[in-house]
Amino acid sequence: LTVPEYNGSLTGALKNVIDWASRPPKNAWGNKVVASIGGTPGAGGTLLAQAELRKVLSRLQVHHITTAAYVSQVHTKLMDADRKQTADHQSAGDDGIQELKPECTAERNMLEAVG
């Protein structure tokens, strides 16, 4: 999940999506493996929002991997001074996501083995 941060927590829109997808009769989140990544212009890189996300998802039987990607000063990493995205900026984002894949795969394999 890409996690936006609003005043140190999840946005209302993201929380609403999570809530609606978890409504009975079927929790669409149950027993899923989730990784999160988020970026902010400040130094925290969505640290607080991702902590809140872990709390919410744990109530829904979601397995959130322990590694999360926090991107601080995201505006300097996504665009150059002229507010244009370059190949280097896209590559940096892709690299962050690729780092999360092995842990997600390992967690999913463990869940499948347990049954």
Side-chain angles (χ1 to χ4, degrees):
L1 291 173
T2 303
V3 184
E5 186 171 274
Y6 184 73
N7 289 335
S9 189
L10 302 175
T11 63
L14 178 59
K15 180 66 167 74
N16 201 25
V17 167
I18 292 168
D19 289 347
W20 275 98
S22 68
R23 291 179 58 91
K26 183 175 182 343
N27 173 11
W29 297 101
N31 218 27
K32 299 281 192 292
V33 176
V34 173
S36 59
I37 184 170
T40 60
T46 69
L47 178 69
L48 297 173
Q50 290 194 50
E52 188 73 16
L53 178 70
R54 285 176 185 274
K55 183 175 80 171
V56 169
L57 293 179
S58 71
R59 302 264 311 150
L60 302 174
Q61 293 84 42
V62 173
H63 304 273
H64 194 291
I65 65 168
T66 55
T67 303
Y70 307 105
V71 183
S72 60
Q73 299 180 345
V74 70
H75 59 288
T76 65
K77 296 174 174 84
L78 296 180
M79 292 180 259
D80 61 18
D82 295 325
R83 301 185 61 85
K84 295 179 183 170
Q85 187 174 14
T86 67
D88 290 341
H89 296 115
Q90 179 64 43
S91 175
D94 291 344
D95 291 347
I97 292 170
Q98 293 302 320
E99 288 178 23
L100 298 173
K101 274 187 169 181
E103 193 170 348
C104 284
T105 301
E107 182 78 15
R108 186 181 66 228
N109 291 342
M110 190 245 347
L111 287 171
E112 288 173 356
V114 171

XYZ file of all heavy atoms in Angstrom:
859
model
N 0.836 -1.180 0.000
C 0.000 0.000 0.000
C 0.876 1.237 0.000
O 1.850 1.304 0.737
C -0.886 0.034 1.250
C -1.984 -0.991 1.370
C -2.629 -0.897 2.750
C -3.018 -0.775 0.305
N 0.491 2.201 -0.750
C 1.136 3.506 -0.694
C 0.385 4.323 0.342
O -0.830 4.455 0.274
C 1.080 4.203 -2.060
O 1.701 3.362 -3.025
C 1.789 5.522 -2.020
N 1.121 4.824 1.321
C 0.497 5.459 2.472
C 0.705 6.969 2.451
O 1.817 7.441 2.656
C 1.077 4.890 3.788
C 0.379 5.477 4.992
C 0.984 3.382 3.795
N -0.355 7.728 2.208
C -0.252 9.173 2.374
C -0.374 9.511 3.862
O -0.955 8.732 4.631
C -1.443 9.714 1.581
C -2.432 8.605 1.592
C -1.646 7.316 1.691
N 0.181 10.620 4.253
C 0.092 11.018 5.655
C -0.581 12.374 5.753
O -0.276 13.291 4.993
C 1.494 11.091 6.275
C 1.473 11.362 7.768
C 2.836 11.219 8.393
O 3.209 10.095 8.752
O 3.547 12.233 8.490
N -1.526 12.478 6.666
C -2.234 13.733 6.884
C -2.260 13.993 8.380
O -2.876 13.239 9.140
C -3.658 13.630 6.329
C -4.425 14.918 6.423
C -4.122 15.976 5.570
C -5.428 15.076 7.353
C -4.825 17.160 5.644
C -6.132 16.252 7.437
C -5.823 17.290 6.583
O -6.515 18.461 6.670
N -1.562 15.020 8.806
C -1.482 15.366 10.230
C -1.065 14.181 11.097
O -1.624 13.922 12.152
C -2.797 15.951 10.734
C -3.054 17.327 10.184
O -2.121 18.040 9.826
N -4.311 17.713 10.109
N -0.074 13.435 10.630
C 0.484 12.342 11.416
C -0.343 11.076 11.448
O -0.111 10.201 12.276
N -1.317 10.930 10.556
C -2.148 9.737 10.548
C -2.540 9.403 9.112
O -2.063 10.028 8.167
C -3.398 9.969 11.404
O -4.107 8.755 11.564
N -3.407 8.395 8.977
C -3.922 8.020 7.666
C -4.880 9.090 7.173
O -5.524 9.774 7.966
C -4.693 6.702 7.762
C -3.943 5.494 8.297
C -4.893 4.318 8.447
C -2.810 5.142 7.379
N -5.014 9.198 5.878
C -6.027 10.094 5.338
C -7.400 9.448 5.533
O -7.524 8.225 5.630
C -5.819 10.347 3.837
O -5.955 9.115 3.134
C -4.449 10.960 3.565
N -8.403 10.277 5.574
C -9.766 9.768 5.702
C -10.143 8.861 4.545
O -10.828 7.855 4.722
N -9.681 9.210 3.351
C -10.006 8.408 2.170
C -9.419 6.999 2.269
O -10.105 6.014 1.977
C -9.506 9.101 0.910
N -8.156 6.882 2.683
C -7.543 5.556 2.809
C -8.241 4.745 3.898
O -8.550 3.563 3.704
C -6.045 5.674 3.105
C -5.314 4.356 3.313
C -5.435 3.443 2.096
C -3.847 4.611 3.633
N -8.516 5.352 5.029
C -9.196 4.645 6.118
C -10.577 4.182 5.670
O -11.015 3.062 5.989
C -9.308 5.561 7.345
C -9.999 4.928 8.541
C -9.201 3.777 9.126
C -9.702 3.345 10.475
N -10.952 2.605 10.480
N -11.278 5.007 4.892
C -12.596 4.642 4.399
C -12.526 3.427 3.471
O -13.350 2.516 3.562
C -13.224 5.838 3.680
C -14.721 5.733 3.579
O -15.356 5.071 4.381
N -15.283 6.395 2.585
N -11.530 3.388 2.587
C -11.353 2.234 1.693
C -11.088 0.968 2.506
O -11.673 -0.088 2.247
C -10.203 2.492 0.690
C -9.783 1.223 -0.012
C -10.614 3.554 -0.312
N -10.210 1.078 3.482
C -9.902 -0.078 4.330
C -11.161 -0.556 5.046
O -11.461 -1.752 5.079
C -8.782 0.262 5.334
C -7.466 0.481 4.600
C -8.645 -0.829 6.395
C -6.374 1.090 5.455
N -11.929 0.378 5.608
C -13.138 0.012 6.343
C -14.172 -0.658 5.443
O -14.738 -1.689 5.809
C -13.751 1.249 7.004
C -12.923 1.767 8.166
O -12.012 1.042 8.624
O -13.171 2.902 8.600
N -14.423 -0.095 4.282
C -15.435 -0.669 3.397
C -15.018 -2.047 2.880
O -15.855 -2.934 2.735
C -15.731 0.274 2.225
C -16.758 1.295 2.611
C -16.521 2.578 3.014
C -18.163 1.110 2.678
N -17.700 3.206 3.322
C -18.731 2.324 3.123
C -19.001 0.044 2.410
C -20.091 2.491 3.297
C -20.367 0.219 2.579
C -20.905 1.423 3.017
N -13.738 -2.239 2.615
C -13.281 -3.544 2.117
C -13.287 -4.613 3.208
O -13.174 -5.793 2.915
C -11.886 -3.418 1.524
N -13.425 -4.209 4.445
C -13.428 -5.184 5.542
C -14.826 -5.498 6.050
O -14.987 -6.289 6.972
C -12.580 -4.661 6.701
O -13.190 -3.524 7.298
N -15.839 -4.908 5.460
C -17.215 -5.116 5.935
C -17.680 -6.552 5.686
O -17.306 -7.169 4.705
C -18.162 -4.148 5.239
C -17.947 -2.706 5.666
C -18.895 -1.776 4.944
N -20.287 -2.123 5.157
C -21.060 -1.640 6.136
N -20.539 -0.793 6.998
N -22.321 -1.990 6.232
N -18.523 -7.040 6.592
C -19.110 -8.365 6.374
C -19.943 -8.358 5.094
O -20.413 -7.303 4.691
C -20.010 -8.557 7.603
C -19.503 -7.583 8.622
C -18.922 -6.444 7.850
N -20.104 -9.466 4.456
C -19.827 -10.817 4.961
C -18.395 -11.289 4.721
O -18.002 -12.310 5.234
C -20.807 -11.682 4.162
C -20.945 -10.970 2.855
C -20.834 -9.505 3.193
N -17.607 -10.567 3.930
C -16.248 -11.036 3.648
C -15.246 -9.917 3.864
O -15.378 -8.846 3.310
C -16.148 -11.522 2.202
C -14.794 -12.088 1.857
C -14.806 -12.662 0.449
C -13.564 -13.305 -0.033
N -12.333 -13.144 0.538
N -14.254 -10.180 4.691
C -13.159 -9.242 4.902
C -12.160 -9.427 3.759
O -11.421 -10.401 3.725
C -12.493 -9.512 6.253
C -11.238 -8.693 6.471
O -10.937 -7.764 5.723
N -10.500 -9.036 7.503
N -12.136 -8.495 2.831
C -11.233 -8.604 1.673
C -9.764 -8.522 2.071
O -8.892 -8.909 1.309
C -11.553 -7.505 0.662
N -9.484 -8.053 3.275
C -8.097 -7.907 3.727
C -7.577 -9.154 4.420
O -6.374 -9.337 4.539
C -7.985 -6.734 4.704
C -8.325 -5.421 4.111
C -9.494 -4.735 4.248
C -7.503 -4.629 3.269
N -9.444 -3.569 3.549
C -8.229 -3.476 2.943
C -6.222 -4.787 2.751
C -7.712 -2.473 2.125
C -5.705 -3.793 1.946
C -6.446 -2.653 1.644
N -8.441 -9.993 4.913
C -8.049 -11.111 5.760
C -6.996 -12.015 5.153
O -7.082 -12.406 4.000
N -5.971 -12.312 5.956
C -4.897 -13.241 5.603
C -4.096 -12.815 4.370
O -3.570 -13.648 3.656
C -5.461 -14.648 5.429
C -4.503 -15.684 5.969
O -3.709 -15.404 6.861
N -4.558 -16.876 5.435
N -4.020 -11.522 4.131
C -3.209 -10.984 3.035
C -1.865 -10.515 3.583
O -1.719 -10.210 4.756
C -3.907 -9.787 2.382
C -5.250 -10.075 1.771
C -5.100 -10.721 0.427
C -6.375 -10.782 -0.370
N -7.417 -11.631 0.079
N -0.872 -10.469 2.722
C 0.436 -9.930 3.075
C 0.529 -8.528 2.470
O 0.245 -8.344 1.290
C 1.581 -10.814 2.541
C 2.933 -10.192 2.836
C 1.482 -12.204 3.130
N 0.908 -7.559 3.287
C 0.951 -6.173 2.843
C 2.302 -5.563 3.181
O 2.842 -5.765 4.264
C -0.170 -5.347 3.523
C -0.041 -3.873 3.211
C -1.527 -5.861 3.107
N 2.817 -4.800 2.237
C 3.985 -3.949 2.472
C 3.512 -2.520 2.281
O 2.537 -2.267 1.578
C 5.095 -4.262 1.477
N 4.178 -1.584 2.921
C 3.772 -0.192 2.761
C 4.967 0.684 2.432
O 6.093 0.413 2.823
C 3.065 0.314 4.026
O 3.903 0.224 5.148
N 4.657 1.722 1.688
C 5.653 2.715 1.318
C 4.959 4.068 1.337
O 3.774 4.167 1.019
C 6.266 2.427 -0.074
C 7.363 3.419 -0.411
C 5.202 2.394 -1.159
C 8.162 3.049 -1.657
N 5.652 5.075 1.766
C 5.064 6.410 1.779
C 6.144 7.465 1.799
O 7.272 7.221 2.223
N 5.784 8.629 1.323
C 6.739 9.721 1.282
C 6.111 11.036 1.695
O 4.928 11.260 1.476
N 6.896 11.867 2.334
C 6.453 13.197 2.740
C 7.551 14.204 2.431
O 8.719 13.832 2.284
C 6.171 13.272 4.252
O 7.367 12.962 4.967
C 5.078 12.335 4.674
N 7.183 15.469 2.369
C 8.213 16.485 2.172
C 9.066 16.698 3.425
O 10.156 17.239 3.355
C 7.426 17.747 1.815
C 6.033 17.492 2.229
C 5.850 16.015 2.281
N 8.607 16.251 4.566
C 9.353 16.410 5.812
C 10.356 15.287 6.028
O 10.663 14.505 5.134
N 10.827 15.182 7.262
C 11.872 14.211 7.592
C 11.330 12.832 7.942
O 12.038 11.847 7.860
C 12.711 14.733 8.757
N 10.055 12.724 8.327
C 9.516 11.470 8.840
C 9.204 10.417 7.807
O 9.201 9.231 8.110
N 8.900 10.812 6.587
C 8.606 9.831 5.543
C 7.424 8.945 5.833
O 7.467 7.758 5.596
N 6.362 9.475 6.370
C 5.110 8.784 6.731
C 5.272 7.766 7.865
O 4.494 6.825 7.965
C 4.409 8.122 5.518
O 5.188 7.023 5.058
C 4.141 9.097 4.398
N 6.234 7.969 8.701
C 6.457 7.062 9.833
C 5.202 6.915 10.693
O 4.796 5.806 11.034
C 7.627 7.574 10.678
C 7.981 6.787 11.932
C 8.561 5.442 11.531
C 8.964 7.547 12.784
N 4.564 8.025 11.027
C 3.381 7.972 11.891
C 2.184 7.334 11.181
O 1.464 6.539 11.774
C 3.022 9.384 12.375
C 4.076 10.065 13.241
C 3.695 11.506 13.527
C 4.291 9.291 14.529
N 1.986 7.671 9.925
C 0.860 7.094 9.183
C 1.036 5.588 9.019
O 0.065 4.827 9.119
C 0.718 7.765 7.821
N 2.256 5.147 8.770
C 2.476 3.710 8.601
C 2.296 2.966 9.919
O 1.819 1.831 9.937
C 3.848 3.453 7.981
C 3.873 3.899 6.521
C 5.057 3.371 5.780
O 5.344 2.187 5.814
N 5.751 4.259 5.073
N 2.635 3.595 11.044
C 2.381 2.970 12.345
C 0.878 2.836 12.571
O 0.396 1.800 13.053
C 3.018 3.798 13.458
N 0.134 3.847 12.189
C -1.330 3.796 12.302
C -1.909 2.717 11.377
O -2.818 1.982 11.748
C -1.917 5.166 11.962
C -3.380 5.303 12.224
C -3.715 5.388 13.705
O -2.825 5.633 14.537
O -4.894 5.180 14.031
N -1.358 2.618 10.169
C -1.803 1.600 9.224
C -1.588 0.199 9.793
O -2.467 -0.662 9.704
C -1.057 1.735 7.896
C -1.393 0.696 6.838
C -2.808 0.906 6.314
C -0.395 0.752 5.692
N -0.436 -0.043 10.405
C -0.165 -1.353 11.011
C -1.211 -1.687 12.071
O -1.695 -2.814 12.152
C 1.222 -1.382 11.648
C 2.337 -1.475 10.670
C 3.685 -1.389 11.431
N 4.774 -1.357 10.506
C 5.355 -2.435 9.996
N 4.936 -3.628 10.331
N 6.343 -2.310 9.151
N -1.567 -0.698 12.876
C -2.558 -0.908 13.935
C -3.911 -1.283 13.332
O -4.548 -2.247 13.768
C -2.674 0.353 14.791
C -3.621 0.216 15.955
C -3.606 1.439 16.834
C -4.471 2.501 16.190
N -4.702 3.660 17.051
N -4.338 -0.542 12.341
C -5.637 -0.806 11.715
C -5.648 -2.173 11.034
O -6.572 -2.965 11.218
C -5.976 0.310 10.701
C -7.173 -0.058 9.846
C -6.208 1.636 11.421
N -4.616 -2.461 10.252
C -4.583 -3.721 9.509
C -4.452 -4.938 10.418
O -4.961 -6.012 10.099
C -3.466 -3.702 8.469
C -3.650 -2.711 7.318
C -2.465 -2.777 6.370
C -4.957 -2.941 6.582
N -3.779 -4.785 11.548
C -3.636 -5.930 12.462
C -4.992 -6.380 12.992
O -5.201 -7.562 13.248
C -2.690 -5.604 13.608
O -3.277 -4.678 14.496
N -5.941 -5.469 13.122
C -7.291 -5.828 13.556
C -8.049 -6.602 12.485
O -9.047 -7.235 12.759
C -8.093 -4.572 13.915
C -7.500 -3.720 14.991
C -8.010 -3.959 16.353
N -9.458 -3.981 16.400
C -10.120 -4.695 17.284
N -9.490 -5.408 18.165
N -11.435 -4.681 17.293
N -7.558 -6.547 11.249
C -8.236 -7.194 10.126
C -7.533 -8.468 9.671
O -7.753 -8.940 8.570
C -8.334 -6.200 8.954
C -9.065 -4.905 9.266
C -8.965 -3.954 8.092
C -10.508 -5.174 9.628
N -6.651 -9.017 10.498
C -5.895 -10.235 10.198
C -5.015 -10.087 8.960
O -4.873 -11.003 8.150
C -6.813 -11.455 10.038
C -7.519 -11.891 11.280
C -8.791 -11.104 11.520
O -9.536 -10.842 10.592
N -9.023 -10.721 12.757
N -4.419 -8.922 8.800
C -3.498 -8.667 7.698
C -2.080 -8.841 8.220
O -1.755 -8.410 9.326
C -3.679 -7.241 7.136
C -2.618 -6.916 6.109
C -5.062 -7.088 6.532
N -1.235 -9.474 7.435
C 0.160 -9.693 7.801
C 0.998 -8.602 7.142
O 1.280 -8.658 5.956
C 0.616 -11.081 7.357
C -0.234 -12.158 7.913
N -0.010 -12.724 9.143
C -1.360 -12.746 7.427
C -0.940 -13.621 9.385
N -1.765 -13.653 8.357
N 1.359 -7.606 7.933
C 2.152 -6.485 7.433
C 3.611 -6.841 7.660
O 4.020 -7.115 8.781
C 1.796 -5.210 8.194
C 2.297 -3.967 7.558
N 3.637 -3.653 7.500
C 1.649 -2.968 6.928
C 3.766 -2.496 6.885
N 2.585 -2.059 6.520
N 4.408 -6.838 6.585
C 5.811 -7.201 6.750
C 6.499 -6.167 7.635
O 6.053 -5.029 7.748
C 6.542 -7.353 5.401
C 6.620 -6.027 4.661
C 5.870 -8.415 4.548
C 7.562 -6.056 3.493
N 7.575 -6.574 8.277
C 8.234 -5.688 9.235
C 8.971 -4.536 8.575
O 9.090 -3.469 9.154
C 9.227 -6.484 10.118
O 10.138 -7.176 9.269
C 8.492 -7.484 10.971
N 9.445 -4.735 7.373
C 10.146 -3.668 6.665
C 9.125 -2.751 6.006
O 8.169 -3.207 5.411
C 11.063 -4.252 5.571
O 11.965 -5.163 6.189
C 11.841 -3.164 4.871
N 9.346 -1.467 6.126
C 8.506 -0.489 5.436
C 9.437 0.530 4.785
O 10.569 0.714 5.217
C 7.565 0.192 6.409
N 8.956 1.147 3.753
C 9.774 2.141 3.049
C 9.281 3.530 3.418
O 8.117 3.865 3.200
C 9.693 1.919 1.548
N 10.163 4.306 4.013
C 9.864 5.676 4.399
C 10.702 6.598 3.516
O 11.929 6.519 3.533
C 10.235 5.928 5.859
C 9.627 4.940 6.816
C 10.393 3.935 7.387
C 8.278 5.019 7.155
C 9.831 3.030 8.278
C 7.714 4.122 8.043
C 8.500 3.134 8.601
O 7.947 2.246 9.471
N 10.052 7.450 2.766
C 10.765 8.349 1.869
C 10.607 9.772 2.391
O 9.527 10.361 2.303
C 10.237 8.245 0.425
C 11.051 9.127 -0.503
C 10.239 6.797 -0.048
N 11.674 10.304 2.972
C 11.626 11.688 3.442
C 12.040 12.623 2.309
O 12.704 12.208 1.359
C 12.541 11.872 4.653
O 13.862 11.566 4.307
N 11.619 13.855 2.400
C 11.898 14.877 1.384
C 11.598 14.335 -0.016
O 12.391 14.442 -0.940
C 13.329 15.376 1.508
C 13.587 16.015 2.845
C 15.000 16.520 3.009
O 15.892 16.173 2.259
N 15.185 17.358 3.998
N 10.411 13.758 -0.136
C 10.012 13.078 -1.367
C 10.026 14.003 -2.577
O 10.316 13.569 -3.689
C 8.634 12.395 -1.181
C 7.525 13.423 -1.068
C 8.371 11.408 -2.285
N 9.763 15.271 -2.362
C 9.742 16.210 -3.489
C 11.104 16.319 -4.167
O 11.178 16.588 -5.356
C 9.255 17.584 -3.020
C 10.104 18.180 -1.951
N 10.104 17.699 -0.647
C 10.986 19.191 -1.984
C 10.958 18.408 0.074
N 11.505 19.323 -0.710
N 12.174 16.053 -3.450
C 13.503 16.104 -4.063
C 13.849 14.804 -4.776
O 14.777 14.757 -5.566
C 14.588 16.378 -3.007
O 14.645 15.275 -2.087
C 14.316 17.668 -2.263
N 13.084 13.754 -4.480
C 13.382 12.448 -5.067
C 12.491 12.111 -6.258
O 12.822 11.240 -7.045
C 13.258 11.376 -3.994
C 14.291 11.564 -2.891
C 14.076 10.602 -1.757
C 15.184 10.687 -0.749
N 15.020 11.728 0.230
N 11.356 12.777 -6.371
C 10.432 12.478 -7.458
C 10.540 13.430 -8.636
O 10.162 13.088 -9.737
C 8.990 12.501 -6.946
C 8.647 11.446 -5.918
C 7.196 11.577 -5.507
C 8.928 10.053 -6.449
N 11.024 14.654 -8.382
C 11.095 15.640 -9.457
C 12.385 16.429 -9.347
O 12.948 16.575 -8.269
C 9.927 16.616 -9.350
C 8.582 16.003 -9.630
S 7.291 17.226 -9.468
C 6.673 16.817 -7.854
N 12.821 16.954 -10.484
C 13.978 17.832 -10.455
C 13.523 19.251 -10.103
O 12.347 19.497 -9.807
C 14.743 17.783 -11.783
C 13.925 18.239 -12.972
O 12.886 18.912 -12.789
O 14.323 17.914 -14.098
N 14.412 20.204 -10.123
C 14.104 21.579 -9.738
C 13.028 22.201 -10.619
O 12.311 23.107 -10.196
C 15.374 22.420 -9.770
N 12.885 21.732 -11.839
C 11.860 22.249 -12.751
C 10.544 21.488 -12.639
O 9.674 21.622 -13.500
C 12.360 22.181 -14.199
C 13.554 23.085 -14.435
O 13.595 24.172 -13.815
O 14.429 22.695 -15.217
N 10.409 20.665 -11.577
C 9.199 19.873 -11.313
C 8.914 18.866 -12.420
O 7.778 18.598 -12.771
C 7.996 20.777 -11.051
C 8.207 21.712 -9.869
C 6.982 22.516 -9.544
N 5.843 21.718 -9.168
C 5.584 21.247 -7.943
N 6.433 21.471 -6.974
N 4.495 20.561 -7.701
N 9.982 18.291 -12.971
C 9.855 17.260 -13.990
C 10.411 15.956 -13.445
O 11.462 15.930 -12.810
C 10.619 17.652 -15.259
C 10.048 18.866 -15.947
C 10.851 19.208 -17.166
C 10.306 20.467 -17.806
N 11.181 20.959 -18.848
N 9.706 14.873 -13.730
C 10.182 13.563 -13.307
C 11.188 13.064 -14.326
O 10.985 13.166 -15.523
C 9.030 12.577 -13.185
C 9.465 11.256 -12.588
C 8.300 10.325 -12.340
O 7.211 10.535 -12.829
N 8.546 9.279 -11.582
N 12.275 12.506 -13.821
C 13.309 11.969 -14.702
C 13.386 10.460 -14.535
O 12.797 9.889 -13.622
C 14.681 12.584 -14.368
O 15.071 12.137 -13.062
C 14.644 14.099 -14.410
N 14.129 9.821 -15.410
C 14.312 8.366 -15.318
C 14.977 7.988 -13.995
O 14.654 6.960 -13.399
C 15.138 7.860 -16.497
N 15.906 8.821 -13.524
C 16.567 8.543 -12.247
C 15.567 8.551 -11.095
O 15.634 7.735 -10.188
C 17.662 9.570 -11.961
C 18.856 9.416 -12.884
O 19.004 8.324 -13.480
O 19.626 10.374 -13.010
N 14.620 9.495 -11.139
C 13.622 9.566 -10.083
C 12.719 8.339 -10.111
O 12.389 7.770 -9.078
C 12.784 10.840 -10.221
C 13.584 12.095 -10.032
N 13.772 12.986 -11.037
C 14.263 12.573 -8.966
C 14.515 13.987 -10.603
N 14.830 13.754 -9.344
N 12.309 7.921 -11.283
C 11.457 6.731 -11.407
C 12.207 5.506 -10.926
O 11.668 4.665 -10.224
C 11.008 6.535 -12.863
C 10.142 5.309 -13.075
C 8.824 5.391 -12.332
O 8.173 6.429 -12.329
N 8.427 4.305 -11.699
N 13.463 5.394 -11.270
C 14.284 4.258 -10.865
C 14.411 4.187 -9.342
O 14.353 3.110 -8.766
C 15.664 4.363 -11.508
O 16.496 3.340 -11.041
N 14.552 5.341 -8.695
C 14.684 5.356 -7.236
C 13.425 4.791 -6.584
O 13.494 4.020 -5.634
C 14.952 6.772 -6.744
N 12.248 5.152 -7.096
C 11.000 4.617 -6.557
C 10.881 3.121 -6.791
O 10.479 2.370 -5.912
N 11.230 2.680 -7.980
C 11.174 1.256 -8.299
C 12.105 0.449 -7.409
O 11.768 -0.642 -6.967
C 11.529 1.012 -9.765
C 10.467 1.539 -10.721
O 9.337 1.821 -10.272
O 10.792 1.671 -11.911
N 13.306 0.988 -7.136
C 14.263 0.291 -6.281
C 13.697 0.084 -4.882
O 13.864 -0.974 -4.279
C 15.582 1.055 -6.203
C 16.350 1.042 -7.510
O 16.000 0.236 -8.406
O 17.292 1.846 -7.651
N 13.014 1.100 -4.346
C 12.428 0.984 -3.015
C 11.381 -0.112 -2.954
O 11.324 -0.887 -2.011
N 10.562 -0.205 -3.983
C 9.530 -1.237 -4.032
C 10.158 -2.617 -4.186
O 9.741 -3.578 -3.539
C 8.527 -0.942 -5.160
C 7.725 0.318 -4.796
C 7.615 -2.126 -5.412
C 6.875 0.864 -5.907
N 11.181 -2.731 -5.018
C 11.838 -4.027 -5.232
C 12.452 -4.560 -3.945
O 12.499 -5.768 -3.735
C 12.911 -3.912 -6.323
C 12.360 -3.643 -7.707
C 11.378 -4.701 -8.171
O 11.562 -5.885 -7.952
N 10.317 -4.273 -8.814
N 12.903 -3.663 -3.058
C 13.492 -4.102 -1.790
C 12.462 -4.787 -0.898
O 12.814 -5.609 -0.055
C 14.098 -2.902 -1.057
C 15.366 -2.382 -1.704
C 15.905 -1.161 -0.987
O 15.590 -0.972 0.204
O 16.645 -0.404 -1.624
N 11.190 -4.452 -1.061
C 10.141 -5.029 -0.224
C 9.667 -6.396 -0.714
O 9.122 -7.183 0.052
C 8.943 -4.075 -0.163
C 9.198 -2.706 0.457
C 7.970 -1.825 0.289
C 9.594 -2.820 1.916
N 9.878 -6.705 -1.987
C 9.339 -7.933 -2.578
C 9.810 -9.218 -1.903
O 8.996 -10.098 -1.642
C 9.654 -7.984 -4.072
C 8.646 -7.269 -4.909
C 8.940 -7.509 -6.376
C 7.816 -7.028 -7.234
N 8.063 -7.260 -8.647
N 11.099 -9.396 -1.625
C 11.523 -10.675 -1.026
C 10.849 -10.961 0.314
O 10.459 -12.094 0.586
C 13.041 -10.522 -0.858
C 13.434 -9.470 -1.838
C 12.256 -8.544 -1.930
N 10.698 -9.940 1.144
C 10.072 -10.164 2.438
C 8.584 -10.493 2.281
O 8.047 -11.340 2.988
C 10.252 -8.948 3.348
C 9.892 -9.256 4.777
C 10.283 -8.167 5.743
O 11.039 -7.249 5.372
O 9.811 -8.234 6.882
N 7.911 -9.849 1.334
C 6.502 -10.164 1.065
C 6.358 -11.607 0.602
O 5.462 -12.329 1.050
C 5.935 -9.231 -0.004
S 5.561 -7.580 0.585
N 7.226 -12.028 -0.288
C 7.172 -13.397 -0.803
C 7.421 -14.403 0.312
O 6.710 -15.409 0.418
C 8.200 -13.575 -1.936
O 7.899 -12.635 -2.969
C 8.171 -14.983 -2.492
N 8.394 -14.141 1.166
C 8.702 -15.049 2.268
C 7.524 -15.143 3.234
O 7.165 -16.237 3.687
C 9.960 -14.583 3.002
N 6.904 -14.018 3.541
C 5.749 -14.009 4.447
C 4.582 -14.790 3.841
O 3.922 -15.580 4.512
C 5.326 -12.569 4.743
C 4.174 -12.436 5.707
C 4.554 -12.627 7.159
O 5.749 -12.584 7.492
O 3.644 -12.833 7.967
N 4.317 -14.571 2.558
C 3.222 -15.286 1.889
C 3.493 -16.788 1.874
O 2.615 -17.601 2.153
C 3.038 -14.762 0.468
C 1.811 -15.370 -0.203
C 1.618 -14.886 -1.625
N 2.719 -15.372 -2.441
C 3.428 -14.630 -3.268
N 3.173 -13.360 -3.415
N 4.406 -15.140 -3.978
N 4.732 -17.185 1.589
C 5.080 -18.615 1.579
C 4.902 -19.241 2.952
O 4.435 -20.363 3.091
C 6.512 -18.816 1.077
C 6.649 -18.486 -0.395
O 5.662 -18.424 -1.121
N 7.873 -18.239 -0.814
N 5.261 -18.497 4.005
C 5.099 -18.995 5.359
C 3.626 -19.191 5.683
O 3.217 -20.197 6.254
C 5.735 -18.033 6.369
C 5.829 -18.591 7.758
S 4.866 -17.817 9.085
C 4.268 -16.306 8.540
N 2.783 -18.246 5.277
C 1.348 -18.361 5.538
C 0.744 -19.553 4.798
O -0.106 -20.259 5.330
C 0.632 -17.077 5.111
C 0.867 -15.873 6.008
C 0.279 -14.621 5.366
C 0.282 -16.095 7.379
N 1.164 -19.770 3.570
C 0.658 -20.903 2.803
C 1.090 -22.228 3.417
O 0.335 -23.190 3.419
C 1.142 -20.799 1.348
C 0.452 -19.687 0.581
C 1.038 -19.469 -0.814
O 2.045 -20.141 -1.157
O 0.507 -18.626 -1.532
N 2.300 -22.281 3.971
C 2.789 -23.512 4.597
C 2.009 -23.834 5.872
O 1.736 -24.987 6.178
C 4.279 -23.384 4.903
N 1.645 -22.791 6.605
C 0.908 -22.976 7.850
C -0.526 -23.381 7.567
O -1.133 -24.138 8.322
C 0.953 -21.677 8.703
C 0.022 -21.766 9.895
C 2.359 -21.407 9.152
N -1.057 -22.896 6.442
C -2.391 -23.321 6.036
C -3.380 -22.285 6.294
O -4.460 -22.204 6.384
